[in-house]
Amino acid sequence: MRPSILYPLFSSIDSIKGIGAKYQKLIKNLCGDKIIDILFHLPYNVVDRTYTSPLSNAINNKIWTGVVTITEHVPPQTKKHPYRVYCTDGTSELELIFFKVYKDSIEKNYPQGEKRAISGKLEYFNGRWQMSHPDFVVPENRLNDIMRLEPVYPLTAGITNKMMIKLAKDAILRTPNFIEWLSKDSFGDLEYISFNEAIKKVHNPKALNDLLPNSIARRRLAYDEILSNQLALALIRQKLKKQTGRVFKATNILYQKILTNLPFTLTKGQEEALEEITKDQEAPYKMLRLLQGDVGSGKTVVALLSMLKVIECGAQTALMAPTEILAKQHYETICNLCKDIDVNIALLTGKLRPKQKKEIYDKLKDGKIDILIGTHALFTEQVVFKDLGYVVIDEQHRFGVNQRLALSSKGKTCDVLVMTATPIPRSLLLTAYGDMDYSKISGLPIGRKPSKTVVMNVNKMPEVIEALKRKLEEGTRAYWVCPLVEESQKSDLAAATERFEMLKTHFGDKVALIHGKMKEQEKDAVMEEFKQGKKTLLVATTVIEVGVNVPEATIMIIEHAERFGLAQLHQLRGRIKRGYEEGVCMLMYSYPISNVSKERLNIMKQTEDGFFIAEKDLELRGGGEILGTRQSGFAEFKLADMQYHQDLLLRARDDVKHILQTDPNLETKQGEALKTLLYLFEQNEAVKTYLAG
Ligand code: ADP
Ligand code: MG
């Protein structure tokens, strides 16, 4: 249960005076509607209100703060004119201008003949100083209240910065004084600034520096968030590690048979990965391993071979793919590879008729299926294994963290291998999985020709189409990926449809269109036609299935390549590296193109190393955006920014190791404080499920 000390932070903002349902809704959309959401909604800039030079020698366009005497009110002659209030600071006259403001309120705020402290932007116009709609007007004696640095918050229509400042003040008042959860040793450069001090400091910046990611206050907050993330993951892992797993010591009879029948020899990378997996399988604890390998590195064979070892021991295995197309592709590949051995393989998809499903369920329960392949439908309640020993999850980044956890509960003691084709930078790996075991298949199978990448202006399209005509006639197949339009899926589709129609005039009925709005079955049908060569040019939005294998497809054209992220471009390019023929990837750009986009295209031209590209992507974009992380189940940070705080991540990992070595159940005083930290960053599951006691 959440510690009661945190209740005030997790209460709704409607408990703040002046926040009704209307504002609550706006703020909820902006940052969330709990007090803590306000606390973690940090300013990104400051307005300096310390400029007070006498008006007679003030500088134009400065934010000016000072005391003025109100001399005259001039109400507008017509509705179109502004209301004017004249005043002076004793050195020069100042004209205050108001549009659409009630006379009453102006007279109340700017009483004639009296002094007021005001602040706003000075503008020199027609030989005099003007200020429209001062940001502040208060009695003279409160000048010092406004004369300071004012934080500027990210806003939304209907919510003013003043409101956010007020809300933040309130949130800080409600923040309890926490017992320090960091040990003395782990402060490092953080200069013993506490969470409470840090949060106050970022909401009351004394200089713009206080807001920068590398300021001590920001680093302290980032560290707390990262620490909570690493601690939560480590707790999960600690528990899983302790779970006894089964020892799968294989006879290697099936394994050897398949291995010798393979039409190729394993690469060194594949062998190493298999060795590491085998070690896990033979060890008496539960395996949870991530297998990373670039597109085309041959993960499927590794998965199959490791599954055979478990099957030899009499247990069942499951292979989960993110889409039906991929599940089907795996099914075909694996059936083909296993045709000479006695292994029962089944494909479970949504398309099966109830009777067919039932048949599979029955066989599973009886232990008559050794390998079950499917999508996440594999883990619905009806699916009951007789003895599930091993689960392989392919193309994992499509699955969320929760699905991942649900999975391991299916087979209480079953081993899990997670495979991903997206090279993930080390730092993101850590935030997503903690210190998880992982293997990397480095390098591609021998004989794979590197693909060529060319970058060109979109005005070369006519030449591209001519060249494409020749290639397609020779039997090649090609993908044409259409502009990614940011605003909506619908305009994505419009652009792709338009390109499809245009290409039809060149290629007739050889062109097909595939997009995200199509039903799974329709997509399958189009992919099938493309695979079989009935269609040779596939126009697509970015839905081209990750991992779909069409060896004849060796050309990829990407329009508006400047709009794609590096990881995405790499993934797309991976589609044409599945055959043995050299692939060509054409990245077409149009203006305007930013420097970052140019840099991305250059990197694509220079290298095919996915891991290098992933690191570069992180560098260029920052962690939050990488791989479209929003859907990918990667941890999202509110206070930390992986572009700046990677060093903190490594530190937190080491800290956590040390903490759990000495206090595995967080029972010491510091441990208790750390539990509060976990709840503060809403790692509730980690405490509830993975802490003993
Ligand atoms: P991915 O890692 O992207 O899932 P796949 O497992 O689909 O890659 O393998 C891509 C292709 O490479 C398949 O056609 C597979 O048969 C082939 N392949 C796998 N391992 C090797 C190898 N060691 N040598 C040659 N070809 C291989
Ligand atoms: Mg694959």
Side-chain angles (χ1 to χ4, degrees), residues 59-72:
I59 300 169
N60 197 9
N61 289 322
K62 274 282 226 190
I63 304 279
W64 184 85
T65 307
V67 173
V68 293
T69 309
I70 318 293
T71 51
E72 195 185 355

Side-chain angles (χ1 to χ4, degrees), residues 293-300 326 329-330 394-395 419-421 546-549 578:
D294 222 333
V295 173
S297 60
K299 293 184 291 296
T300 317
L326 281 172
Q329 185 178 300
H330 280 317
D394 191 19
E395 307 291 6
M419 306 198 292
T420 166
V546 179
V548 167
N549 206 353
R578 308 225 129 200

Side-chain angles (χ1 to χ4, degrees), residues 276-531:
E276 286 165 346
I277 294 168
T278 307
K279 260 194 205 133
D280 281 348
Q281 291 177 323
E282 293 179 352
Y285 58 76
K286 208 176 130 136
M287 152 173 162
L288 180 60
R289 178 171 287 276
L290 182 72
L291 177 63
Q292 274 195 297
D294 222 333
V295 173
S297 60
K299 293 184 291 296
T300 317
V301 181
V302 172
L304 172 65
L305 288 171
S306 61
M307 286 163 110
L308 289 176
K309 294 203 170 206
V310 174
I311 295 166
E312 286 169 16
C313 297
Q316 292 168 294
T317 65
L319 172 59
M320 175 157 98
T323 66
E324 301 224 331
I325 300 182
L326 281 172
K328 199 166 145 227
Q329 185 178 300
H330 280 317
Y331 178 72
E332 284 161 7
T333 308
I334 287 176
C335 283
N336 194 24
L337 287 169
C338 292
K339 58 181 185 288
D340 296 331
I341 57 171
D342 181 23
V343 169
N344 295 306
I345 308 162
L347 176 67
L348 181 66
T349 73
K351 265 182 276 180
L352 294 183
R353 274 173 274 123
K355 210 180 127 201
Q356 295 171 305
K357 278 190 192 161
K358 172 117 199 330
E359 206 182 304
I360 292 185
Y361 296 154
D362 289 346
K363 278 191 180 168
L364 265 185
K365 239 185 281 173
D366 293 343
K368 286 185 189 139
I369 291 174
D370 303 307
I371 301 179
L372 181 66
I373 300 170
T375 59
H376 51 270
L378 289 192
F379 294 95
T380 51
E381 264 170 51
Q382 300 100 305
V383 183
V384 181
F385 293 84
K386 179 171 182 227
D387 179 23
L388 179 64
Y390 183 36
V391 175
V392 179
I393 311 172
D394 191 19
E395 307 291 6
Q396 186 280 331
H397 65 276
R398 297 270 197 102
F399 299 108
V401 180
N402 290 331
Q403 269 166 313
R404 209 152 55 213
L405 292 179
L407 238 178
S408 9
S409 70
K410 191 89 189 178
K412 276 271 182 294
T413 55
C414 87
D415 286 346
V416 177
L417 179 73
V418 174
M419 306 198 292
T420 166
T422 313
I424 305 168
R426 179 80 186 118
S427 58
L428 281 192
L429 206 61
L430 261 176
T431 62
Y433 304 98
D435 232 352
M436 181 176 180
D437 295 322
Y438 81 103
S439 305
K440 210 162 123 174
I441 303 183
S442 39
L444 294 177
I446 310 164
R448 222 33 80 79
K449 294 196 183 96
S451 58
K452 201 167 117 191
T453 298
V454 279
V455 176
M456 61 175 76
N457 191 288
V458 71
N459 62 23
K460 293 265 162 60
M461 197 184 295
E463 284 100 311
V464 169
I465 289 175
E466 280 316 305
L468 198 54
K469 265 185 195 155
R470 284 194 303 274
K471 288 301 288 181
L472 294 190
E473 272 159 26
E474 286 168 17
T476 304
R477 260 160 256 170
Y479 299 100
W480 189 299
V481 179
C482 275
L484 177 76
V485 182
E486 260 113 34
E487 301 89 71
S488 76
Q489 183 72 64
K490 204 174 156 208
S491 27
D492 258 20
L493 179 54
T497 309
E498 197 177 298
R499 182 60 66 229
F500 171 63
E501 294 299 334
M502 182 271 222
L503 288 170
K504 260 207 308 214
T505 65
H506 292 276
F507 300 95
D509 63 358
K510 287 293 190 189
V511 198
L513 175 67
I514 189 166
H515 58 79
K517 284 274 142 82
M518 286 161 82
K519 292 209 191 77
E520 196 73 28
Q521 260 159 315
E522 295 174 302
K523 278 196 261 179
D524 274 10
V526 174
M527 266 335 279
E528 202 56 50
E529 281 190 319
F530 185 62
K531 260 180 129 169

Side-chain angles (χ1 to χ4, degrees), residues 5 106 125 161 179 223 250 254 281 310 329-330 342-343 390 409 463 508 542 568 595 614 662:
I5 185 180
I106 296 187
F125 188 72
N161 198 50
I179 294 169
Y223 192 69
L254 298 174
Q281 291 177 323
V310 174
Q329 185 178 300
H330 280 317
D342 181 23
V343 169
Y390 183 36
S409 70
E463 284 100 311
T542 47
Q568 214 174 0
N595 283 340
T662 50

Side-chain angles (χ1 to χ4, degrees), residues 228-247:
S228 76
N229 158 270
Q230 290 297 291
L231 185 56
L233 289 166
L235 286 172
I236 296 175
R237 192 146 163 63
Q238 171 176 279
K239 184 98 170 210
L240 292 179
K241 271 268 180 197
K242 277 206 194 116
Q243 280 175 4
T244 38
R246 297 165 59 172
V247 175

Side-chain angles (χ1 to χ4, degrees), residues 86-97:
Y86 291 89
C87 56
T88 171
D89 76 331
T91 70
S92 178
E93 187 170 62
L94 173 65
E95 180 183 339
L96 307 179
I97 298 173

